Amino acid sequence: MTENLDRKGLISRRRLIGLSVGGVLVASLGCLPTLAVAQEAMDQAGFQALSQRLTGRTVLDKVISDRAFAALTAEDAGFPAAAVRLTAALDQAGLVDMREFKQFAAANPELAPTAMKIISAWYLGYTGTPEGEANHDDARFVAFAGALMYEPTKDVTIVPTYARGHTNYWVDPPATLATD
Amino acid sequence: MATEFDADVIVIGSGAIGSNAAHLLAQRGKSVIILETGEWIPRWKIVENFRSSPRKNNLNDPYPTFPWAMSSFDPDYIENTGNFHYVPYQLLLVGGTTWHWAAATWRFLPNDMKMKSLYGVSNDWPMEYSDLEPWYDLAEYNLGVAGSDTDDQSGHAGAAHPPRSKPYPVTAEGETYYFQRLKDRIGKEGYNFIHEPNGRTNKPYDGRPACSGNNNCMPVCPIGAMYSGDVHARHAQNAGAKIITDATAYNLEKGEGGKIVAVHYRSSKGADVRLTAKAFIVAANGIETPKLLLFSDVANSNDLVGRHLMDHSGISLIFTADEPLWPGRGQVQQGAIFKWRDGDWRGQHSAIKHAPHNNVPNRDVAEMLIKQGVVGPELDEQIRHLSARWVVIESMFETLPRATNRVTLSTTKKDALGIPTLSFNYDLDGDEYVEKARDLCMDDYGNFVRAMGGKVINDKTGWQNHAHVMGTVMMGDDAKTSVTNHEGRTWDHDNLFLATTGLLPSSSVLNPTLAGIALGLRTADIIAKEV
Amino acid sequence: MRKTVFVFSALAFSTVAASSVLAQDAATSALIERGRSVAIASDCMACHRTPEGEGKPFAGGYTISSPLGPIVALNITPSKEFGIGNWSEAQFEAAMRDGVAPRGHLYPAMPYTAYRAMSDDDLHALFVYLQKDVKPVDEAPKAQTNLPFPFNIRLSMAGWNLFFNRATPFDNALAAPAGTERGKYLVDGPAHCGACHTPRNTLMAEDASQYLGGGDLGGWHAPNITSDPVSGIGGWSDAELVTYLKNGNAVGKSQAAGPMAEAVEHSFRHMPDDDLQAIANYLKTVPAIRSEAQTAPAYEHSKAKPAGIGTLDYGIDRSAAAMVNGTSVNGEELYVSACATCHQLNGAGTQDQFYPSLTSNRATGGMTPNNLVMAVVEGVHRKTNDFTVQMPAFKDELSNAQIAAVSNYVLQRFGNASLSVSEADVVELKNGGEVPLLVKATPWLMLGGAIFAALVLVLAAIFFWRRGKRNTLQHA
């Protein structure tokens, strides 16, 4: 099954969504004027900013970001709109530290899943639900070596397939053992 | 009457067993043709296919499936009628399924080969351990197996066992810190930690580099330290064997005196070719071998082809230990934990092999945390904290050969070459032999968790299969109760041989590939003296 | 009483005799040990081994692919029928210094032009070692040297030697251990570094004006090891030079592969540290030779320019036809999937440099891509005193076009971006590198020679015919 990410097609769809949904949404939510201008519709830059916010990273890779955005949109046409709503709600709640996300999620139960989808795409490197024993599912590739789930342990273990060092390095525990 | 043959021997299947057999025959000066359904795919491409896969939990995903060479994961390929949904993950390309295994290369114990006479269950093998021993030697040498020459692999902490005439070609790799800690704490509770002999060389061997812990044996070793069948496919080719890819054998043609005179194969491009040989080896794994025999209606006068399907069914345990162990450094598997390995109780319940898994756990850990709604800095902290403590124990049980557990041809579906697809009937529920062992296994799990101060993540996995296909073309010493004799020679056709783990008449708890290769080499040796 | 005296004197005599025999054995043992270390320093085993590698030492049969054709090393075990068991020491010296063996001239693939400089003591010790300590192997080497005409005329070596075999023996007993004199002795004598590291002139002799400035050998390039800090090893520390010789790995500078890996494996790693230090000291004094175009040392040449993670991490066409297709010539794709596993996505190698950096490496940042290509084609195999290094060979897995593509990617991203490799280059390197002018010119020279000879014959015929005619006239 070919994964043909037709960005051109998405852009034109996005414009359509942006015109119809974005404008209405912005008006009804009464966002701050500056944000209202920037967040008419979810675009790649907006998605990247949102991703950085949700994952607590100052800079995420743009190519992976665009890929994640495309995958999430391909899986669910309503995703960009939901992402816009999410951004707006986060702004309104003034959420900066993700340690406070639980309260936000409780207060915005219809938006929490969108946030989790974005976080999941970045950490796990795929969207959708991968099948373990069949070769048809809705999973889409986002990243592997760039998947955030490997970052917290990269001083100790590897991204599978990439070498770490010489044969038998593993007989010793990592240097950080005492504080792990 | 002089007859011209296309080859002395035609081998159907270029996996580890077929390629090793073909290589031996080519070295002995025989002309050999290997027929392979799939293609040559270079390692780098499979690595790319894997890294870019969105479904890393799917071991077949890096390998293409074609309408004429369907992966077992294609839902149109296998139908299951039993109470266990059995989907083995066989591969169809040059080198076969050993492209994605964990290279566990055990020898079956002498007692494993005498289940019937010793314990009253399963079957005896139609040969002694000493008959197979020199072929285990050769197989281990061919694969560059790393092992311990001092372990008692029967788990009784006694003298080295089973007996060997030569040391392992490669010494065992260094123990991971993870394994050392588990052995230290769980070993005290009366469990024997044994090194698992493996085909992942830890020193350069036969042109392959040493393993340096890329931790990806399944589904593909990115550097080729881990043995895969393409090694001997290439050796066979360099020794003069001819490999024809995109060649799916679908008919073994019978001739005078019950001999097989030809094999017919089809290609995806519409070719339909007939090749003749003096002898034939079907080495098409435990699933495709009976399929070919059934479709050709050969070797099946006693209606046993495809029956007695045995896999190593099992369960597993995931828990977090109370200290950082750091799985993910080194190889994915290193050893076995034996308490129930061999004893009189095998008449009542299965033996058990526990295997700690050393995979980089980040994906499983992160998936769990995200499902629980953990985000932000806490997500990063917990990924690190839990990954350091993540313990996975995978356990395998011995299954008994049952005539109703079988592989048959589908009566409703065909592939793009017009060959029927497969139907499995595999029943496991209600099997007391296995269920009693599972109860004991759960006790062991409790002990493991307690010994490690652990917290269970999942101990209710339900039945899992391990794609160790055995019994489907069972060997034996009685033509009424087996498909081949001890030589792998079918009773019905004296120039038709089978080389597959499907020959194994009892399953024990050991990964069967090395035994399959040893048997295949022994068979090739016998053929070399006849043609 | 007489009996006692007799017994006593017999005992005394036998003790004296025994001690002189012991003393003799001790002297011979010391000589043999010295000979063994000379054999190691001279790396006899690099050539005088069996084709299978391990196995019977010094039994010969191993084929050296010289630019003039394959040359097979002889059996130098003390076998009387097949080896040097019947040679006198004078004959041994003639072979080692003059390149003349009892059965005829040797080709300078046997580096007698270098061994000529060995001291008398060392040569003597080597002879004793070979005759007394090496096990005789009573088998002829499985192949024999048979160069194409006219190079198979061994007598032609006599003229060549006259011009090019001019070194003088050096008495290294005077050289202080680890010192530069000892180093010069080793470099020019037993270790014959110039045999590879000095380029050859048209007649295939070492070009002294380019001493240790770098030479080509069967696809591989033996780099400039003069003291030049940019083109040579002037910027290396002594410790790095010693480590390189001992393990074949100077982290961030260079790793030994191909023929140098063999030299490390058979020779340098067995040599005492003093000698390696001496070589390092001496090399630092060798007159600097600078490559014209080179402005920075190979290991500083590139600022690594790895692509972003999003480009190195990518999705693919997952149709079956695409997933089975391994013919891509996209250098980045090939690097990521075939090389980055060990050398890492950013080309920096692993932290412990077990898998070396490509960004700080002579093979990628030097003035020639040859070693990079050869490493990809043949891999690297090097046994050290600690473990065996192995980079697999990619010649079966990658096509020539793919090898060129991935090499270019590495050069662009991690090395000397002004270099490039074509598919034709890969083919040429696989075939042993550029064919020397002497070999290329030989057919023309032979043609020229034949035409000249024919011309001479024709003129002679005309001359004698006319002379005959004149004589006939005169007699008329």
Side-chain angles (χ1 to χ4, degrees):
Chain A
M1 157 171 148
T2 22
E3 296 198 34
N4 204 346
L5 305 175
D6 184 358
R7 288 223 188 93
K8 285 211 167 79
L10 284 171
I11 289 169
S12 49
R13 254 203 300 159
R14 224 180 331 111
R15 286 273 165 261
L16 220 67
I17 293 167
L19 284 172
S20 52
V21 175
V24 174
L25 253 168
V26 164
S28 62
L29 284 176
C31 289
L32 299 165
T34 46
L35 283 169
V37 168
Q39 288 289 312
E40 246 188 34
M42 179 55 65
D43 62 2
Q44 290 176 333
F47 176 77
Q48 185 169 349
L50 176 59
S51 301
Q52 281 162 194
R53 184 177 198 169
L54 289 172
T55 61
R57 292 340 195 237
T58 40
V59 173
L60 288 171
D61 184 271
K62 177 175 173 12
V63 175
I64 296 178
S65 180
D66 294 349
R67 199 182 293 147
F69 186 44
L72 289 166
T73 308
E75 154 182 285
D76 172 12
F79 172 78
V84 171
R85 289 196 296 276
L86 174 61
T87 309
L90 287 167
D91 286 340
Q92 190 158 57
L95 191 76
V96 170
D97 185 350
M98 283 302 288
R99 287 195 198 274
E100 290 155 29
F101 182 77
K102 266 210 176 70
Q103 295 95 293
F104 174 86
N108 299 275
E110 76 291 356
L111 292 175
T114 304
M116 294 313 294
K117 263 203 231 173
I118 295 172
I119 294 168
S120 177
W122 279 99
Y123 271 83
L124 303 179
Y126 63 82
T127 61
T129 311
E131 263 290 352
E133 272 185 3
N135 57 8
H136 301 304
D137 60 34
D138 67 350
R140 287 183 171 82
F141 176 81
V142 170
F144 177 47
L148 298 183
M149 59 177 164
Y150 293 116
E151 275 189 16
T153 58
K154 67 173 184 248
D155 60 321
V156 180
T157 53
I158 56 170
V159 174
T161 69
Y162 293 97
R164 182 169 191 84
H166 64 280
T167 306
N168 288 333
Y169 81 83
W170 49 80
V171 304
D172 296 317
T176 52
L177 188 75
T179 49
D180 280 332
Chain B
M1 171 175 89
T3 321
E4 249 192 38
F5 295 93
D6 292 304
D8 291 329
V9 186
I10 294 180
V11 179
I12 295 152
S14 70
I17 301 177
S19 289
N20 268 280
H23 175 240
L24 188 152
L25 287 162
Q27 279 184 317
R28 301 273 179 93
K30 307 299 169 195
S31 62
V32 180
I33 293 175
I34 305 174
L35 299 178
E36 170 54 50
T37 295
E39 302 284 351
W40 286 96
I41 309 179
R43 186 171 300 271
W44 74 263
K45 181 59 181 151
I46 299 174
V47 171
E48 180 184 73
N49 294 347
F50 166 74
R51 287 183 179 151
S52 58
S53 166
R55 50 192 77 84
K56 299 276 188 324
N57 55 340
N58 182 323
L59 297 172
N60 274 14
D61 198 58
Y63 302 92
T65 174
F66 296 96
W68 56 87
M70 294 165 91
S71 156
S72 47
F73 283 15
D74 191 317
D76 287 331
Y77 190 52
I78 296 172
E79 71 185 0
N80 268 284
T81 56
N83 63 38
F84 182 71
H85 183 73
Y86 184 54
V87 184
Y89 30 94
Q90 315 309 110
L91 294 175
L92 301 170
L93 74 163
V94 177
T97 306
T98 49
W99 272 100
H100 72 21
W101 60 327
T105 39
W106 300 87
R107 297 183 175 199
F108 281 71
L109 303 176
N111 283 4
D112 289 335
M113 299 167 78
K114 292 199 178 315
M115 290 299 288
K116 189 75 173 194
S117 26
L118 286 176
Y119 308 120
V121 296
S122 197
N123 292 308
D124 286 349
W125 292 35
M127 63 184 64
E128 297 298 315
Y129 173 83
S130 53
D131 293 326
L132 200 49
E133 207 276 330
W135 303 104
Y136 275 128
D137 266 346
L138 180 59
E140 287 167 354
Y141 172 82
N142 282 1
L143 271 56
V145 171
S148 155
D149 290 318
T150 53
D151 272 349
D152 171 5
Q153 291 177 6
S154 73
H156 293 123
H161 189 73
R164 310 176 53 86
S165 52
K166 290 204 193 103
Y168 276 103
V170 179
T171 49
E173 71 282 2
E175 283 183 350
T176 63
Y177 178 74
Y178 169 78
F179 190 78
Q180 292 170 40
R181 294 304 299 144
L182 292 173
K183 180 162 77 159
D184 240 15
R185 295 176 71 175
I186 297 176
K188 289 194 187 74
E189 308 277 321
Y191 291 93
N192 266 296
F193 279 65
I194 306 288
H195 175 262
E196 177 171 81
N198 62 77
R200 282 178 297 260
T201 183
N202 53 77
K203 67 170 191 203
Y205 193 90
D206 191 22
R208 291 157 38 208
C211 171
S212 61
N214 301 57
N215 203 265
N216 204 67
C217 308
M218 302 185 46
V220 62
C221 174
I223 64 174
M226 182 177 81
Y227 180 85
S228 47
D230 57 302
V231 169
H232 273 84
R234 194 158 274 124
H235 282 329
Q237 195 173 56
N238 289 341
K242 182 173 168 204
I243 302 182
I244 305 178
T245 56
D246 190 13
T248 304
Y250 69 91
N251 181 246
L252 293 162
E253 186 187 314
K254 288 172 283 210
E256 257 183 60
K259 278 203 182 317
I260 302 298
V261 297
V263 60
H264 296 249
Y265 74 81
R266 287 190 185 133
S267 82
S268 64
K269 303 188 179 45
D272 201 318
V273 180
R274 177 181 185 268
L275 292 176
T276 57
K278 297 180 192 167
F280 299 82
I281 305 180
V282 185
N285 83 46
I287 303 294
E288 305 290 336
T289 299
K291 177 176 150 191
L292 175 61
L293 299 178
L294 289 171
F295 195 51
S296 310
D297 190 24
V298 304
N300 200 22
S301 58
N302 54 19
D303 186 32
L304 291 179
V305 170
R307 292 190 189 274
H308 309 111
L309 168 62
M310 292 174 279
D311 193 294
H312 287 129
S313 308
I315 58 175
S316 54
L317 165 71
I318 305 174
F319 69 95
T320 48
D322 64 3
E323 64 167 288
L325 304 169
W326 284 113
R329 291 161 65 89
Q331 310 176 332
V332 302
Q333 263 167 229
Q334 184 148 56
I337 308 172
F338 285 143
K339 180 175 168 185
W340 298 105
R341 176 63 182 92
D342 186 37
D344 288 336
W345 39 263
R346 285 175 93 178
Q348 283 81 58
H349 67 79
S350 158
I352 305 173
K353 167 155 95 78
H354 302 294
H357 275 212
N358 189 37
N359 299 73
V360 173
N362 296 44
R363 182 163 48 80
D364 288 339
V365 170
E367 279 175 357
M368 180 187 80
L369 289 168
I370 287 171
K371 223 184 229 129
Q372 294 169 355
V374 180
V375 299
E378 201 197 337
L379 177 57
D380 292 325
E381 285 152 14
Q382 283 297 301
I383 286 176
R384 185 179 175 93
H385 184 82
L386 294 177
S387 294
R389 293 159 172 76
W390 202 256
V391 182
V392 179
I393 309 274
E394 195 179 76
S395 309
M396 293 205 282
F397 307 129
E398 174 163 14
T399 51
L400 299 177
R402 298 188 195 285
T404 48
N405 284 353
R406 60 190 300 212
V407 175
T408 49
L409 300 175
S410 167
T411 48
T412 52
K413 288 195 203 145
K414 289 191 158 77
D415 68 19
L417 296 176
I419 303 167
T421 60
L422 287 170
S423 176
F424 294 164
N425 188 71
Y426 196 61
D427 290 317
L428 198 55
D429 283 340
D431 184 330
E432 268 194 20
Y433 192 74
V434 178
E435 287 183 346
K436 278 198 196 122
R438 184 185 53 189
D439 295 339
L440 291 166
C441 183
M442 294 306 294
D443 289 342
D444 286 342
Y445 286 175
N447 292 337
F448 297 161
V449 173
R450 203 173 26 254
M452 297 302 295
K455 181 169 161 238
V456 174
I457 302 285
N458 185 3
D459 59 358
K460 289 167 181 47
T461 58
W463 293 120
Q464 297 165 327
N465 88 65
H466 294 95
H468 298 159
V469 184
M470 297 164 284
T472 51
V473 285
M474 200 179 290
M475 60 176 175
D477 49 25
D478 183 346
K480 292 193 286 294
T481 54
S482 54
V483 177
T484 77
N485 68 3
H486 69 97
E487 298 171 319
R489 191 195 304 262
T490 58
W491 294 108
D492 291 350
H493 315 277
D494 70 10
N495 70 338
L496 176 64
F497 297 81
L498 310 180
T500 157
T501 52
L503 290 171
L504 271 53
S506 75
S507 68
S508 185
V509 288
L510 298 178
N511 317 58
T513 303
L514 186 74
I517 296 174
L519 289 167
L521 287 167
R522 182 168 179 268
T523 298
D525 176 63
I526 289 164
I527 297 172
K529 297 186 176 96
E530 287 181 8
V531 305
Chain C
M1 172 68 168
R2 235 197 320 166
K3 211 169 167 193
T4 323
V5 169
F6 176 74
V7 167
F8 181 75
S9 51
L11 226 83
F13 174 77
S14 59
T15 312
V16 168
S19 65
S20 67
V21 167
L22 280 171
Q24 169 79 351
D25 279 342
T28 314
S29 301
L31 210 51
I32 287 173
E33 279 320 299
R34 180 169 178 167
R36 190 196 315 280
S37 62
V38 172
I40 285 170
S42 311
D43 205 3
C44 312
M45 270 301 276
C47 299
H48 288 282
R49 53 178 147 136
T50 57
E52 302 87 49
E54 311 292 329
K56 302 166 187 159
F58 305 112
Y62 178 73
T63 305
I64 300 120
S65 11
S66 86
L68 271 47
I71 295 178
V72 183
L74 296 174
N75 180 335
I76 55 169
T77 70
S79 161
K80 293 207 184 291
E81 201 187 329
F82 301 103
I84 62 168
N86 274 334
W87 288 21
S88 68
E89 188 158 350
Q91 286 175 315
F92 180 71
E93 202 180 327
M96 290 291 285
R97 293 203 198 281
D98 304 326
V100 183
R103 63 192 92 174
H105 279 270
L106 300 171
Y107 292 110
M110 161 71 179
Y112 56 83
T113 51
Y115 293 153
R116 188 178 179 80
M118 285 192 351
S119 70
D120 290 337
D121 288 342
D122 274 350
L123 215 51
H124 173 63
L126 181 59
F127 181 70
V128 171
Y129 164 71
L130 287 173
Q131 294 290 9
K132 287 201 181 333
D133 198 76
V134 173
K135 281 196 186 52
V137 175
D138 293 312
E139 281 164 33
K142 294 208 171 57
Q144 276 193 352
T145 305
N146 211 343
L147 295 188
F149 182 83
F151 304 115
N152 57 347
I153 302 173
R154 287 182 183 254
L155 197 56
S156 58
M157 291 312 306
W160 190 91
N161 286 339
L162 205 60
F163 285 107
F164 299 121
N165 194 18
R166 309 182 83 88
T168 45
F170 182 95
D171 186 0
N172 82 315
L174 301 171
T180 52
E181 278 190 53
R182 171 79 181 151
K184 177 173 166 64
Y185 174 72
L186 289 169
V187 167
D188 287 346
H192 61 284
C193 304
C196 301
H197 286 277
T198 301
R200 304 235 164 204
N201 62 21
T202 323
L203 289 176
M204 306 300 293
E206 288 175 36
D207 180 356
S209 71
Q210 297 294 311
Y211 176 61
L212 299 183
D216 290 312
L217 195 79
W220 296 91
H221 179 75
N224 178 330
I225 51 173
T226 70
S227 61
D228 193 85
V230 170
S231 301
I233 45 83
W236 293 35
S237 70
D238 280 3
E240 280 171 332
L241 286 169
V242 171
T243 305
Y244 180 85
L245 292 172
K246 202 179 185 72
N247 300 325
N249 183 2
V251 169
K253 298 272 193 316
S254 188
Q255 290 78 42
M260 189 59 182
E262 288 174 5
V264 168
E265 185 171 328
H266 294 292
S267 173
F268 292 116
R269 71 177 171 119
H270 296 302
M271 285 169 66
D273 284 349
D274 266 358
D275 276 349
L276 300 181
Q277 185 62 53
I279 292 174
N281 283 337
Y282 171 65
L283 288 177
K284 290 291 187 76
T285 69
V286 170
I289 293 178
R290 169 78 54 97
S291 299
E292 243 181 79
Q294 191 166 16
T295 50
Y299 46 89
E300 277 174 28
H301 193 102
S302 80
K303 304 284 174 273
K305 305 174 276 291
I309 184 67
T311 330
L312 301 172
D313 217 10
Y314 52 83
I316 60 167
D317 178 353
R318 298 198 85 74
S319 68
M323 293 219 297
V324 86
N325 183 342
T327 61
S328 166
V329 284
N330 179 317
E332 181 157 83
E333 191 180 352
L334 293 168
Y335 178 78
V336 169
S337 307
C339 318
T341 293
C342 298
H343 293 284
Q344 308 301 301
L345 291 169
N346 63 4
T350 50
Q351 195 168 40
D352 63 3
Q353 290 291 291
F354 180 73
Y355 296 116
S357 156
L358 299 178
T359 61
S360 180
N361 196 313
R362 199 161 198 176
T364 61
M367 297 303 290
T368 164
N370 289 8
N371 288 347
L372 168 61
V373 174
M374 290 303 288
V376 174
V377 167
E378 290 194 354
V380 178
H381 185 95
R382 189 175 74 240
K383 193 169 182 178
T384 73
N385 292 330
D386 302 313
F387 47 70
T388 305
V389 165
Q390 169 118 352
M391 165 173 166
F394 284 91
K395 60 176 185 264
D396 290 331
E397 190 176 332
L398 299 177
S399 69
N400 295 330
Q402 289 179 314
I403 292 172
V406 76
S407 300
N408 285 329
Y409 181 81
V410 168
L411 291 166
Q412 288 297 308
R413 289 277 170 192
F414 308 130
N416 183 349
S418 68
L419 297 174
S420 71
V421 177
S422 71
E423 191 179 341
D425 292 333
V426 175
V427 174
E428 183 177 78
L429 289 172
K430 270 172 149 182
N431 286 334
E434 220 186 301
V435 180
L437 184 62
L438 180 64
V439 177
K440 275 198 267 206
T442 297
W444 296 107
L445 290 170
M446 282 171 40
L447 184 65
I451 291 173
F452 179 72
L455 205 64
V456 165
L457 283 171
V458 167
L459 286 172
I462 293 172
F463 174 74
F464 283 114
W465 177 73
R466 282 171 148 244
R467 194 136 163 261
K469 217 169 154 203
R470 222 179 318 138
N471 287 347
T472 323
L473 282 169
Q474 276 178 342
H475 280 122

